[in-house]
Each structure stands twice: as C-alpha cells, then as structure tokens.
Amino acid sequence: MMGRRVVISGMGAVSPYGAGTSALWEGLLSGASTVRNTSSLDAIGGLRCKVAALVPELDARVIDRKKRRFMSSMSIYATLAALEAIAQSRLDADALARRSTGLCLGSTTGSPQELDAFYRQLVQDNTIENTKSTFFFRIMNHSCAANVAQALGIRGRVIAPSAACATGALAIGMGAEMIAAGLQDVVLCGGADEHHAATTAVFDIMQAASITHNDAPQETPRPFDRDRDGVVCSEGAGIFVLESLEHAQARGAAILGEIMGFATLSSPGDLAHPDIETIGACIADALASAKVNPDMVDYVNAHATGTIHGDLVESGAVERVVGAAVPTSSLKGHFGHAMAASAALESIACVRMLQEGKILPTRNLRVPDPACQHLNLPVKIMDCELNIVLKNSFALGGVNAALVIGRFAA
C-alpha cells in the first residue's frame, strides 16, 4: 500500500458467539456452531430456509440512553464493538474528537427491523400516529456510521460504504487508504448488520439459501463441501482501530497487526454470479498493493458462503493466483454469513490467527467437492507460523474486495 504504513491497534466484535473478540475467538477455537432454528423464519409462508445465526441478548446500557434511543440493533452492535476496539487501543476522548480521527463503517441497508415495523403499521393500520421521531435515524443507509460517530464524538471524516457482503472489507480497505494517503491519522472501520427474515428470503428466492438442514441446523452451511446447498444468514458487527504507524508509535500503542494491501474490482457481467477472472485480478491487485508475492501468503481466509457457484469460482481464483498449496478455509460454517459484518469479523479472526499461530478449519467440511478439493482445505486446527494472510470478500452486485493482513514487524 503506497504511503504511510497502516497498523491495527484495537478490535471489537459482536457476533452470534456474543459480545467481545474473546467470545468470537474462543467460540471459533471450540468449533461450536451458532446456527439455530429461528422462529421468525418459521412464520414466513413459502420460505424454505428455517435457520440463522443470531446475536444473543446483550446489555446495551453502557451506551448513553440519549444516544441509544436513535439506534436499531445493528447500530447498538456497532457501538458496542467500537467501544471495545477503542478500549483496547487506549484512544481517549480527546483523540477521538480530533479532525484527524475518522470513521468508515457500513451496513447493507438501514435497519430492516425498523422498516418492517413502520410499514406493517402503515399498510395494516393506514396510520403513522405511533411512529416515533427517532425512526428515520434508524433506517438511514448510513445509520450505523452516524450513530457510532455521535456516540463516540467523532469529528473527522465519516464514510458509510454499502456493498452488501463486501462492505466490511471495503470499509477496512478505504480506512487504510485514507491513513496511507495522510488524510487521517486514525480511522475506526468495519461493518454491521442485523438479521431479518427478508435477508434470508432474498437468498431463498435466488435458490442460494441452505434448505436441507433445517432439522440439523449445526450441519450447515458447508463451504467447499460436496453437499453444500447455500447461505445461512447471521448478524453482528466488527470494528478495527487503524492508525498510521507513526501515530501509533508516538503514543505507545500496542500494535496487533498491519493492513498491508487492499484492492476492490467490479464484475460487470452478472449481478448475481461472481466470475473467476475478476476475483483473480482482485486478489492479484491486493497482493501487488502489499508488495507481496503470491508464494509469501501463508493462509487464505475465503469468502466461501456455501453456495455451489460461489465456492467453486473462488477456489479456482485462489488456485490460479496464490496456488493450491496454501491453506484455505472459510468461517461461515461456524457463524453463518453476517453480511456487511462478515469480512470485519473474519478479519478479526485472521489477526488472532496471526497472533496465535493457528489456522482455523472450515466447519462442516466433510467431503470436499471434487471441483474444490485441489485446494489445501484444513479440516482441523493447524498450528503453524503465520506472517501474511489474504482475506477475500465478494458481494452480490459484482463488488469484489481483498485485504492483505500481516503480522507486524518494525
């Protein structure tokens, strides 16, 4: 990445494992699945997928009530994750208030839960009499970014990228680019989303949701597996504190890792299906941005959601650019697809893997698809030295993103 080096000084998470990066990491290490049968899906006629991975009930009272009243679930998730990341980074209120500190945080849409409640009242009762004045601030497309900025007192740049499944990776990459270019010294960045039946329904309508494991929810999704049958939706938030190396060192911050490279490219051929050429080019561009040769990559954290076409195309692109020998896995089998939050949560896991020298396997991978099995697909935790990780993220609409995350070396 051209310009200043960009390092990670804080991380925060809210996931189906609960609040905190420790809960996320310990849940992943245990191999536990968070996928469950979900009552909100049972009530929808024609919806075949009945499973999701949801965030357990959280105590949000740490957020000031006057700020919290403007927040939907996903803004609460994002704020809690941001507070954890800030605490770890040891940034104080004065540092957050400087114009050199920014925020890059996105979601797929505004709150689907709040939109649902509003339109049910409007359509069924033909009234808006009970609609609260805080409603709009929960359904804005930049609701998470606006609410977190207000809660934390951010005065610098506030940017809210929105590209569905690639949002978290875009936010991290854009935040890193702003720092590298000298436009900000610190950027809080990541993604957040909340689950709604409509999210699962979108994938079901497109024949891309998992529908064959409703009676055994922990057996799905199954990335790279011969018997994979689609996406399981989830929710949560992941937040990074990124800084220029000089800024972090000047204040004595502990450095957790480094964002070495980033790339994003569009696949204009098909809104619904990724293509191997663009994905391969995106991976290659990210490595070039990091000045990393393909043989230097120690691990690939795949986007792999468990769809037939998506996993196949990604596995081919990884083999073509990085090679078949590099260990490659997906974390979707553990906690589903958290949409805008997925890349941020998975990137947090990548940093922990770099720190701990462990590669997490793909949960539910029993029999690799013959078309994917050319890759090195771990089925158990691997202990090994890791220095450089490639994190892939691909979205409906043809938005592709890749991050290169490294162990920090002075």
Side-chain angles (χ1 to χ4, degrees):
M1 188 173 292
M2 297 294 292
R4 301 189 297 178
R5 291 175 68 181
V6 180
V7 297
I8 304 162
S9 62
M11 302 188 298
V14 169
S15 75
Y17 289 111
T21 57
S22 293
L24 173 64
W25 178 244
E26 290 165 9
L28 290 169
L29 275 182
S30 74
S33 168
T34 59
V35 178
R36 302 287 186 271
N37 289 107
T38 306
S39 58
S40 63
L41 301 179
D42 285 332
I44 307 297
L47 184 59
R48 296 169 298 167
C49 179
K50 307 295 185 182
V51 298
L54 306 183
V55 171
E57 186 174 350
L58 301 174
D59 184 356
R61 288 176 295 178
V62 66
I63 304 171
D64 183 274
R65 187 181 65 83
K66 292 180 180 179
K67 303 293 185 182
R68 195 170 72 241
R69 61 193 289 266
F70 292 93
M71 297 181 181
S72 68
S73 295
M74 62 185 182
S75 289
I76 289 173
Y77 300 160
T79 304
L80 292 175
L83 289 171
E84 181 189 14
I86 289 165
Q88 185 177 38
S89 72
R90 293 184 296 149
L91 285 172
D92 58 25
D94 289 340
L96 291 173
R98 295 188 188 115
R99 293 198 302 274
S100 58
T101 297
L103 175 70
C104 190
L105 171 63
S107 59
T108 302
T109 65
S111 171
Q113 296 172 5
E114 295 292 332
L115 281 166
D116 184 349
F118 173 75
Y119 281 110
R120 283 181 186 274
Q121 182 186 76
L122 182 64
V123 173
Q124 292 178 2
D125 301 330
N126 199 33
T127 182
I128 60 168
E129 289 180 357
N130 296 320
T131 301
K132 296 181 179 179
S133 60
T134 56
F135 163 72
F136 180 72
F137 300 99
R138 299 179 180 186
I139 59 93
M140 302 182 301
N141 201 54
H142 67 304
S143 179
C144 283
N147 275 290
V148 170
Q150 291 290 315
L152 302 181
I154 300 292
R155 297 176 184 272
R157 293 183 172 207
V158 174
I159 298 175
S162 182
C165 320
T167 301
L170 286 179
I172 295 167
M174 292 170 67
E177 287 183 334
M178 283 189 278
I179 293 169
L183 301 174
Q184 300 277 257
D185 291 327
V186 179
V187 180
L188 281 74
C189 49
D193 252 322
E194 63 191 42
H195 182 261
H196 186 273
T199 311
T200 296
V202 166
F203 288 99
D204 199 339
I205 291 166
M206 293 191 299
Q207 311 293 317
S210 178
I211 62 172
T212 59
H213 296 282
N214 291 327
D215 295 331
Q218 297 189 2
E219 295 298 310
T220 191
R222 310 178 68 87
F224 299 123
D225 193 82
R226 178 192 62 190
D227 297 324
R228 67 190 184 279
D229 74 326
V231 174
V232 171
C233 294
S234 66
E235 60 182 358
I239 301 290
F240 281 82
V241 175
L242 302 184
E243 303 183 52
S244 71
L245 175 59
E246 296 83 358
H247 188 274
Q249 289 177 329
R251 66 184 192 87
I255 296 174
L256 310 177
E258 181 173 0
I259 304 298
M260 301 175 65
F262 165 65
T264 179
L265 292 176
S266 173
S267 298
D270 195 308
L271 280 170
H273 294 105
D275 73 89
I276 190 170
E277 299 296 335
T278 306
I279 288 177
C282 187
I283 292 171
D285 283 0
L287 296 177
S289 168
K291 297 182 173 59
V292 166
N293 294 326
D295 61 4
M296 296 168 64
V297 175
D298 299 308
Y299 165 66
V300 176
N301 185 259
H303 180 66
T305 63
T307 64
I308 301 297
H309 182 71
D311 291 6
L312 179 63
V313 168
E314 184 176 9
S315 65
V318 168
E319 181 184 25
R320 179 181 296 185
V321 180
V322 182
V326 62
T328 300
S329 69
S330 167
L331 302 181
K332 301 294 193 304
H334 291 77
F335 62 90
H337 187 357
M339 309 307 291
S342 62
L345 289 169
E346 291 158 7
S347 293
I348 290 169
C350 287
V351 172
R352 292 300 304 267
M353 285 189 251
L354 284 163
Q355 293 174 327
E356 304 291 337
K358 294 183 182 295
I359 292 176
L360 299 172
T362 302
R363 195 183 194 282
N364 294 326
L365 178 56
R366 306 283 193 271
V367 181
D369 184 333
C372 301
Q373 67 181 2
H374 47 272
L375 289 184
N376 180 357
L377 300 171
V379 294
K380 62 181 181 179
I381 294 174
M382 294 175 55
D383 292 312
C384 58
E385 182 177 346
L386 295 175
N387 292 298
I388 296 174
V389 167
L390 170 69
K391 169 68 200 131
N392 293 335
S393 188
F394 313 119
L396 291 172
V399 179
N400 307 289
L403 295 164
V404 180
I405 307 171
R407 179 192 296 275
F408 175 70

